[in-house]
Amino acid sequence: ELNEYVATLGAVALLISIVVTVVSVIAIVRFVVHPLRRLRSLLDAEDTNALSAFAASFHADRDDIGAMVARIARLVTDNAAYRDNLSRIVLERTFDLSAANSKLRDSQRKIAESETRFRAILDNSPFYIYLKNRDGRYQLVNKHAEKALNRPASEIIGKRNADLFPDHLIGPYNAQDEKVFVEGVTTV
């Protein structure tokens, strides 16, 4: 009888152990695996409302998984808010840049028109007109100056008197240029 009793106790203990293991596995699947799978699908869908509702179904103060889900929900929600804010900022800056580009194109068009008018006035003037920088290099010449020097503007611009005239004219021309720079008086 004792052997039977011990054998029965061993069988009962084994059965209890199996039941506890099965219940533990079921609890892990129900309370850990399924919520994690649901969390993963919500994260993949980026559904912040469903994620927040899912997080609210846990007791974050009593449950580690609930606390984790609540934190992830906050991060996803914050990320969505940051993304929305960033999208708004990008749209605003794109609009600002578009407006600035439009103004720039308009300004460039006006400058081109002004330069065309200026060039027409210069080229139709009966005088030799040129502009030099402080180094004595030609910056601009009109058509009459091109004819007088018997060269196109491309061969005059950037050159000095010494590059264009014979030696006996360089001194007087440089003196005249210096007078213009010092006194601020133009010569005709």
Side-chain angles (χ1 to χ4, degrees):
E1 265 181 53
L2 186 59
N3 286 341
E4 250 180 64
Y5 181 71
V6 170
T8 305
L9 278 178
V12 168
L14 179 63
L15 185 60
I16 290 173
S17 174
I18 291 172
V19 168
V20 167
T21 302
V22 169
V23 168
S24 296
V25 168
I26 290 171
I28 289 171
V29 168
R30 180 168 182 229
F31 296 111
V32 176
V33 175
H34 286 180
L36 289 176
R37 284 185 182 155
R38 176 75 175 132
L39 175 62
R40 181 176 166 194
S41 69
L42 291 172
L43 289 172
D44 288 344
E46 294 187 24
D47 185 349
T48 56
N49 292 332
L51 186 59
S52 295
F54 181 66
S57 70
F58 289 94
H59 298 287
D61 56 336
R62 291 183 279 156
D63 186 341
D64 288 340
I65 292 177
M68 179 185 72
V69 170
R71 284 188 199 118
I72 291 172
R74 279 193 307 274
L75 288 172
V76 169
T77 303
D78 290 349
N79 184 43
Y82 292 136
R83 189 177 51 233
D84 291 345
N85 190 39
L86 182 60
S87 294
R88 181 188 55 77
I89 291 169
V90 167
L91 283 174
E92 288 173 0
R93 295 306 170 261
T94 301
F95 177 78
D96 293 345
L97 286 173
S98 177
N101 282 336
S102 178
K103 288 179 181 178
L104 178 61
R105 281 191 300 275
D106 188 47
S107 295
Q108 289 171 332
R109 181 187 52 77
K110 288 177 180 177
I111 289 170
E113 289 171 359
S114 178
E115 286 176 353
T116 300
R117 284 191 302 271
F118 178 68
R119 179 49 76 178
I121 291 168
L122 282 180
D123 289 341
N124 289 302
S125 170
F127 302 103
Y128 307 121
I129 300 175
Y130 59 89
L131 177 67
K132 291 183 179 182
N133 65 13
R134 279 298 276 160
D135 294 331
R137 295 186 184 277
Y138 286 87
Q139 301 296 300
L140 175 133
V141 294
N142 71 347
K143 294 290 182 194
H144 289 291
E146 287 181 58
K147 286 179 188 173
L149 294 171
N150 198 25
R151 296 172 191 226
S154 61
E155 292 180 15
I156 302 169
I157 304 298
K159 301 282 193 311
R160 294 180 181 182
N161 290 332
D163 302 321
L164 300 170
F165 299 107
D167 291 341
H168 71 278
L169 295 176
I170 296 170
Y173 286 172
N174 285 344
Q176 181 181 7
D177 290 346
E178 187 60 30
K179 183 177 180 182
V180 169
F181 285 124
V182 170
E183 296 177 10
V185 179
T186 58
T187 59
V188 180

